[in-house]
Amino acid sequence: MSRHQGIGMTSQRTHDRLITRLEREGISSQEVLEAMRATPRHIFVDEALASRAYEDSALPIGYGQTISQPYIVARMTEALLMSGPLTKVLEIGTGSGYQAAILSLLVKEVYSVERIEGLLKQARARFETLKLRNIRLKFDDGTEGWSQYGPYDGIIATAAPVEVPMPLLEQLNIGGRLIIPIGKQGMQRLMLYTRTHEGVEEAFIEQVSFVPMLSGQKT
Ligand code: SAH
C-alpha cells in the first residue's frame, strides 16, 4: 500500500480523534474541521514521524523548521475565513505544505512563499501526490510578500517576525485580513490585522510559539 492510500485503521481513528479534539478546544468552523479531516497530515512529515502525525503537536520537518500544531493551523484558518469566503490567499512560510493544503480546499487560489528551497521542493511533490492544483509556490524571502498576484483577500504568516512587514499590509485588499505571529521566540502574539479604508485595525488572537521569520533565501 502506498503512503498516500492509508496508514491503517488505527491512524484513521487517531485522525478522527484529532478532529474531535480540535472541536472540543473551540474550533467551531465546520468547513475548517472538514478540510482538516480531508487532509492526511502524515503525508507532510517524514515517514519516521508518520505515526505521530495525528497528535496535536508541532513536529520537525528538517532544516530546523516545524510543521505547525493542528490546533494552531485550525485557529489561524478559522480566523482568516471569519469574514466570509475568500478568493486569493497568500501564505508566508510554506514549510511542509500542510497549511497551504488545508487552505487549498477552502479558497480558490493559494499562493505560498518559502525561503528554504529543499522544503519547497518537498511541498510541491506533496501537492502533486494529493492533486492539489490551486497552489502556486515561490522560492523567495516572504517578508516582501508576493506583489505579482496581489492584492490578496487574506495573508497568513506561519513564521514570526518581530514587527509586521509593511509589504504584507500593503498587499491586502480593503477588508483583507493578515493573520501573523509577532514577537521574539518564546513570547509571540498571534495577531489579526484588517485593512480598512482608514488604515489598519488590529486584534490579538492568542499567545503562540512559532519559528522566526528570517530574511534572505537558502538553497
Ligand atoms: N506553514 C508551514 C509551517 C512551517 S514553519 C507548515 O504548515 O508546515 C515556518 C516556515 O517559514 C519555515 O519553513 C521557514 O523556512 C519559513 N520562513 C521563515 N522565514 C521566512 C521568510 N522570510 N520567507 C519565507 N518563508 C520563511
Side-chain angles (χ1 to χ4, degrees):
M1 196 190 324
S2 81
R3 289 185 69 209
H4 181 207
Q5 278 172 319
I7 42 168
M9 287 305 290
T10 315
S11 296
Q12 188 53 54
R13 276 200 301 274
T14 57
H15 192 171
D16 287 344
R17 264 205 298 276
L18 171 63
I19 305 304
T20 308
R21 175 175 169 164
L22 296 177
E23 210 168 358
R24 206 173 50 228
E25 284 175 346
I27 306 301
S28 59
S29 161
Q30 287 306 312
E31 60 169 351
V32 170
L33 292 167
E34 282 318 307
M36 296 197 60
R37 196 191 298 279
T39 306
R41 191 169 183 253
H42 67 279
I43 298 289
F44 295 87
V45 296
D46 193 82
E47 230 157 327
L49 287 171
S51 65
R52 298 188 53 201
Y54 299 100
E55 292 175 9
D56 189 19
S57 53
L59 294 169
I61 54 171
Y63 304 87
Q65 306 303 319
T66 55
I67 180 174
S68 307
Q69 181 194 353
Y71 170 77
I72 293 295
V73 172
R75 191 88 166 90
M76 290 174 78
T77 310
E78 187 173 70
L80 188 75
L81 296 173
M82 201 75 90
S83 59
L86 307 181
T87 302
K88 275 205 270 183
V89 168
L90 171 67
E91 176 191 33
I92 309 302
T94 318
S96 69
Y98 180 64
Q99 171 76 72
I102 304 281
L103 287 170
S104 80
L105 303 180
L106 297 165
V107 306
K108 192 148 174 276
E109 300 164 25
V110 179
Y111 299 83
S112 186
V113 183
E114 171 58 57
R115 66 177 287 278
I116 300 177
E117 198 174 24
L119 288 175
L120 198 69
K121 282 189 178 150
Q122 290 176 29
R124 201 185 292 282
R126 289 170 182 139
F127 300 149
E128 268 166 35
T129 304
L130 297 174
K131 301 192 169 55
L132 303 176
R133 309 199 197 282
N134 59 342
I135 308 170
R136 199 180 286 247
L137 299 170
K138 188 187 189 198
F139 170 47
D140 208 345
D141 176 350
T143 45
E144 296 298 322
W146 191 353
S147 60
Q148 188 184 351
Y149 294 103
Y152 301 93
D153 304 314
I155 302 180
I156 267 189
T158 63
V162 175
E163 287 173 8
V164 190
M166 283 311 289
L168 301 187
L169 291 173
E170 288 161 6
Q171 287 170 31
L172 280 179
N173 276 318
I174 301 295
R177 298 149 82 80
L178 166 63
I179 315 282
I180 186 168
I182 301 285
K184 297 206 181 88
Q185 229 159 350
M187 44 186 295
Q188 298 152 357
R189 293 157 57 82
L190 185 62
M191 302 296 295
L192 159 65
Y193 296 92
T194 308
R195 184 162 181 186
T196 66
H197 282 289
E198 293 74 36
V200 175
E201 281 171 10
E202 68 169 355
F204 170 71
I205 303 180
E206 65 180 74
Q207 210 71 39
V208 287
S209 175
F210 275 86
V211 296
M213 190 177 283
L214 304 172
S215 52
Q217 287 161 270
K218 201 173 151 221
T219 51

